[in-house]
Amino acid sequence: MTYRLRALRVLLLLAGFHLIGVALLAAMAAFDWLLVTRWLTERAAWFEGMVLTSTILVAAAILRGMYVFLRAGRLRPLPDAVAVTPEDQPELWEQIRATAEATGERVPDELYLVAEVNAGVAERNRLLGLVPGRRRMVLGLPLLAGLTVSQLRAVLAHEFGHYANAETRTGGAAMRGRLAVVQTVESFHEGSTPLHHAVGIPYLAYARMFLRTSYSVARHQELAADRLAARHAGRDTTAATLRLLPVLSVAHSHYLDTYAAMGEPLGALPPVGEVYGGFRRLLAARGGERLAVLAADRHEPRPDEYDTHPPTAERIARIAELPADDHPDVAVDEPAALTLLRAPDQVFAALEAGALAQGEAGLRRMSWDDLVLARAVADADGWSRPLRVAVGRALRSSAQSGDGTVTSRPAADDRLPGLPEVLDAFDRGLLWTAVADRMPKPDQAARLTGASARNFVRPRVFDGLAGMVHLHLVEAGVAGPDIAWSGQPGLTLPEEFEKGLDDALDAAVADTPDTAPLRALLDGRVSTTGARAADLGRRGIEA
């Protein structure tokens, strides 16, 4: 079967999806008419009234689904995006305009910038797109930051490619119908009563059949758009762009989780414009190989029967089969597509103002260095607190058990022992006789004894002791923040601590604790518990 026939079949099935509601409404109308004119009896009036009420409710649910289906092609508001006019960003619009003309397509009427590694073109549907309507393009700022100008042209050409080919015009209408079908089924599942769910059962069954049937048409659309992008931007550039997009997606997720969300436990945000704009710094610090490391363990999700995109490897292989062209390769020093923006800092700030939730927008702002330091202190305080509480309880228990009884009361935070007291407790042999038993552990681990119990608790003691050392070094002024755009944010420690701290901690938490190596490292650096470090941790957590 040719592509045109497959697309026509999908359109007919799509019409059938809409006719489900018409048929059900007609059947219920006929049933109600018969009930009122032929079957109505005074003795069963209450039962017949319940039936009429039920059919009216079912009809309302069906009409709601039909309404959603008809409105599926509307362009919805984008509150989390920044609208950009040709006057605002003429260089970016010129690239879009040139690509649209090269692909034989209309220039979008609207352009929105979003905080995603994504791009797309949507059109206000009339007759599922068979009649052209208002067109909108969406571009992700992280995408502009990670792609070169020529790679951006490949992405733009691909998006216009969904509308450009005459042979895919009908297929494009069919694919926009997929969206209408999905939104209609979702409307039934989001209904407030079980009746909505029951009415949605035939729609869901039909939708599954429709999505499977339109599978080949959807894939043809994607591959045709790839071919158009290769003709416009170059075969090699398009293939390179397809390889890069998953890497950028993983890198952006890493940035959001590791950097943008760093201040969440502190109730703080990065500087204005840096919640999303800081992604530029990560890209600048990591070359292509370092970015690829982030995505090395990522496996492309297994495609399901409704997936409209072929696997990336297949798309790249299809592009490689195209004949060579005279388009230049991507230059190493080619500017990023973000350079097309005027005043990008202001654009990132505007996007941030619209995308952040109302409560988040009012959080205090901290510089990256202050944010990293406050988070490192808060984390170190969190790591060390269970150990300090356990040592405090063990010390008080030891002091109060002269008659052989053992008592234990929780200690107040301002009475928690400092690093010297913890090390002294280890030297007294309390680690494995009193402290370890007071460390928090799940019920299953509470039954462990001997070496098994020590090996379970040891990593928690190690982390707690490391957190105390970090707090002391910050208090002493010898450890500072390290944003580490190319690695993992945290603290920069003195060279001797970078080299010897792990070994010293291992010795301190061994079966026979030896605190001498750790004391030697601390000698001359820190001598007392850092009240200021503890205050930093409390302020970081409570702010």
Side-chain angles (χ1 to χ4, degrees), residues 4 59 91 106 130 159 167 170 172 181 186 206 270 279 286 293 297 305 309 319 335 351 372 406 420 473 489 517:
R4 287 180 182 274
E91 289 82 5
R106 290 189 296 116
L130 294 175
E159 296 306 325
E167 68 165 351
T170 306
V181 168
E186 288 176 348
Y206 195 100
F279 185 54
R286 295 173 181 258
V293 169
D297 296 332
E305 56 184 339
H309 287 74
I319 292 174
L351 177 63
V372 171
V406 178
L473 294 178

Side-chain angles (χ1 to χ4, degrees), residues 256-291:
L256 292 178
D257 294 340
T258 305
Y259 295 91
M262 186 186 302
E264 282 186 1
L266 313 173
L269 289 174
V272 174
E274 290 289 294
V275 174
Y276 303 118
F279 185 54
R280 297 171 291 175
R281 306 181 188 278
L282 183 143
L283 293 176
R286 295 173 181 258
E289 293 183 359
R290 287 188 174 183
L291 281 178

Side-chain angles (χ1 to χ4, degrees), residues 87-269:
E87 293 74 24
D88 297 331
Q89 301 293 344
E91 289 82 5
L92 179 58
W93 269 96
E94 179 56 34
Q95 288 291 333
I96 295 172
R97 188 177 294 108
T99 305
E101 292 174 356
T103 56
E105 272 302 297
R106 290 189 296 116
V107 178
D109 302 290
E110 306 170 355
L111 173 62
Y112 285 86
L113 300 179
V114 296
E116 302 171 0
V117 182
N118 192 20
V121 177
E123 193 174 88
R124 181 176 180 179
N125 291 345
R126 297 176 181 176
L127 296 179
L128 295 177
L130 294 175
V131 178
R134 187 171 184 81
R135 184 170 287 185
R136 171 190 292 170
M137 171 163 275
V138 174
L139 283 177
L141 279 178
L143 196 68
L144 298 182
L147 297 181
T148 65
V149 174
S150 61
Q151 289 171 335
L152 174 64
R153 284 197 291 267
V155 170
L156 296 176
H158 175 91
E159 296 306 325
F160 285 124
H162 290 297
Y163 297 85
N165 296 312
E167 68 165 351
T168 61
R169 179 73 64 181
T170 306
M175 290 309 96
R176 288 185 285 279
R178 289 173 64 97
L179 175 63
V181 168
V182 171
Q183 290 183 0
T184 302
V185 172
E186 288 176 348
S187 74
F188 286 110
H189 280 274
E190 293 169 0
S192 57
T193 67
L195 185 62
H196 288 87
H197 295 193
V199 175
I201 291 175
Y203 281 92
L204 178 59
Y206 195 100
R208 286 173 174 167
M209 182 271 292
F210 173 80
L211 293 176
R212 285 194 297 267
T213 303
S214 60
Y215 171 88
S216 61
V217 177
R219 298 217 160 190
H220 183 96
Q221 280 267 301
E222 290 297 330
L223 296 175
D226 285 344
R227 289 194 297 271
L228 183 63
R231 286 198 299 271
H232 174 66
R235 181 190 66 177
D236 295 339
T237 298
T238 303
T241 304
L242 286 175
R243 293 189 190 95
L244 181 57
L245 289 177
V247 176
L248 286 179
S249 180
V250 173
H252 189 244
S253 297
H254 171 75
Y255 166 77
L256 292 178
D257 294 340
T258 305
Y259 295 91
M262 186 186 302
E264 282 186 1
L266 313 173
L269 289 174

Side-chain angles (χ1 to χ4, degrees), residues 386 431-432 435-464 509-511:
L431 173 56
W432 301 120
V435 175
D437 291 339
R438 292 172 170 81
M439 292 288 291
K441 58 181 75 69
D443 294 339
Q444 299 90 328
R447 294 190 293 268
L448 297 176
T449 59
S452 297
R454 291 195 298 272
N455 290 335
F456 182 86
V457 172
R458 200 186 316 274
R460 292 158 175 76
V461 177
F462 182 101
D463 290 343
V509 301
D511 288 349

Side-chain angles (χ1 to χ4, degrees), residues 330-413:
V330 179
V332 176
D333 57 348
E334 185 179 3
L338 196 63
T339 58
L340 298 171
L341 291 183
R342 295 184 177 182
D345 291 341
Q346 296 179 16
V347 176
F348 275 107
L351 177 63
E352 185 179 295
L356 290 178
Q358 189 171 13
E360 294 177 329
L363 297 178
R364 62 184 177 127
R365 301 284 183 159
M366 301 176 68
S367 70
W368 281 115
D369 281 347
D370 289 345
L371 192 58
V372 171
L373 181 60
R375 178 59 186 269
V377 168
D379 287 346
D381 182 80
W383 301 337
S384 65
R385 189 168 295 269
L387 175 62
R388 297 170 69 193
V389 170
V391 171
R393 290 175 175 176
L395 290 176
R396 287 194 301 277
S397 175
S398 176
Q400 297 168 5
S401 59
D403 59 353
T405 61
V406 178
T407 61
S408 173
R409 294 195 308 270
D413 285 354

Side-chain angles (χ1 to χ4, degrees), residues 14 109 181 246 318 369 402 512 518:
L14 188 61
D109 302 290
V181 168
R318 294 289 189 94
D369 281 347
T512 303
L518 184 55

Side-chain angles (χ1 to χ4, degrees), residues 478-500:
V478 296
D482 181 13
I483 187 61
W485 293 110
S486 60
Q488 192 74 15
L491 294 176
T492 56
L493 304 180
E495 183 178 358
E496 59 270 27
F497 281 85
E498 293 283 3
K499 293 180 179 179

